[in-house]
Amino acid sequence: MILFPAIDLIAGQVVRLERGDRARCTVYASDPVAQARAFAEAGARWVHVVDLSAALEEDEDARAANTAAIRAICGIEGLSVDVGGGVRSLARIDELAGFGCKRIALGTVLVTEPGFAEVAARGFGELLVADVAARDGRVKVNGWRDDVLRALDDVVGELASLGFRHLVYTDIARDGMQTGIDVAAYRRVAAQAGFPVVASGGISSVDDIRALAAAGQDVIEGAIVGRALYEGAFTAAEALAAARGEGRPDQAAERGRSC
């Protein structure tokens, strides 16, 4: 199972939001490139980078700072970058691909512009990831602020029919809350998609990571881990070991400060 340590960016800073709420933001680091290098040094081969400033339609300076960080992270040797957040045009996909991103996630436009989703899937294929977030079985878009009145199962099935073969599913109610994971929910999404998914939201212990890995390669392709790493529930090295079914947790890392 692939472990994706998460680097969520607002104005060039590493942050986490609780349940996608901008008002509930904690800053963990001011140097996202150094953070990505630390993950690589711990053994990570992938990192999950989210441009929250783009997703939340923040100002140009904030978005430019994130773009610069993404470009620099892509330059770290041996580290593959899975990036998303506010990717809403073919031009942005081209730009991110030019930086060297190995996976590019599309979210809002997959639901609001199905014609675009079809064109993008046809043109970029395996480079693209469908990024789907839901609360209580209903899909949310625009930084999880808006309800599009679409059921999760319907959206996942539609995206699979368009040719998407990578999908991140985020349980909004659990994201950033360290409340644990719902393996059964990922089984349902994977069954609907017809391929394994990347789990996101709620991981609080290495046992959660082990549980996802134990679900099998036909259910879970990978897991995104964010706040639990930054809050010291376990280290990146321990998380990577747990993804392989090894290792035990300890306490480490320092807590963040308010945005």
Side-chain angles (χ1 to χ4, degrees), residues 4 6 13 33 40 49 55 57 66 79 82 107 117 137 139 152-153 168 179 182 184 190 219 256:
F4 296 87
Q13 298 188 98
V33 181
V49 181
E57 300 178 303
N66 285 357
L79 193 64
D82 168 41
V139 172
L152 173 64
D153 287 352
V168 174
T179 52
D182 182 355
V219 175

Side-chain angles (χ1 to χ4, degrees), residues 41-214:
E41 289 167 1
R45 293 294 173 262
W46 282 89
V47 67
H48 176 72
V49 181
V50 182
D51 185 345
L52 288 175
S53 292
L56 298 172
E57 300 178 303
E58 296 191 331
D59 63 66
E60 287 299 321
D61 287 345
R63 297 172 71 165
N66 285 357
T67 292
I70 293 166
R71 183 191 295 111
I73 292 170
C74 285
I76 298 174
E77 186 175 353
L79 193 64
S80 295
V81 177
D82 168 41
V83 68
V87 181
R88 294 170 181 153
S89 70
L90 296 177
R92 182 60 169 168
I93 296 173
D94 275 330
E95 181 181 32
L96 293 169
F99 294 163
C101 296
K102 300 302 183 186
R103 292 188 183 184
I104 300 170
L106 304 180
T108 296
V109 292
L110 297 179
V111 180
T112 61
E113 300 180 41
F116 174 86
E118 183 175 4
V119 169
R122 187 166 59 243
F124 291 93
E126 286 285 324
L127 180 66
L128 297 185
V129 178
D131 189 349
V132 180
R135 187 196 300 270
D136 300 324
R138 310 297 294 184
V139 172
K140 301 281 188 176
V141 298
N142 290 324
W144 306 348
R145 293 168 295 179
D146 300 330
D147 190 335
V148 291
L149 304 178
R150 295 284 307 279
L152 173 64
D153 287 352
D154 291 344
V155 170
V156 170
E158 182 178 287
L159 293 172
S161 72
L162 291 177
F164 284 89
R165 291 299 175 264
H166 298 294
L167 186 146
V168 174
Y169 169 55
T170 301
D171 183 344
I172 296 172
R174 294 172 184 265
D175 188 75
M177 298 304 294
Q178 292 184 262
T179 52
I181 47 93
D182 182 355
V183 175
Y186 295 112
R187 289 188 186 279
R188 290 193 297 271
V189 174
Q192 186 66 35
F195 53 82
V197 302
V198 175
S200 175
I203 290 176
S204 61
S205 70
V206 290
D207 286 339
D208 287 334
I209 298 172
R210 291 193 189 98
L212 289 169

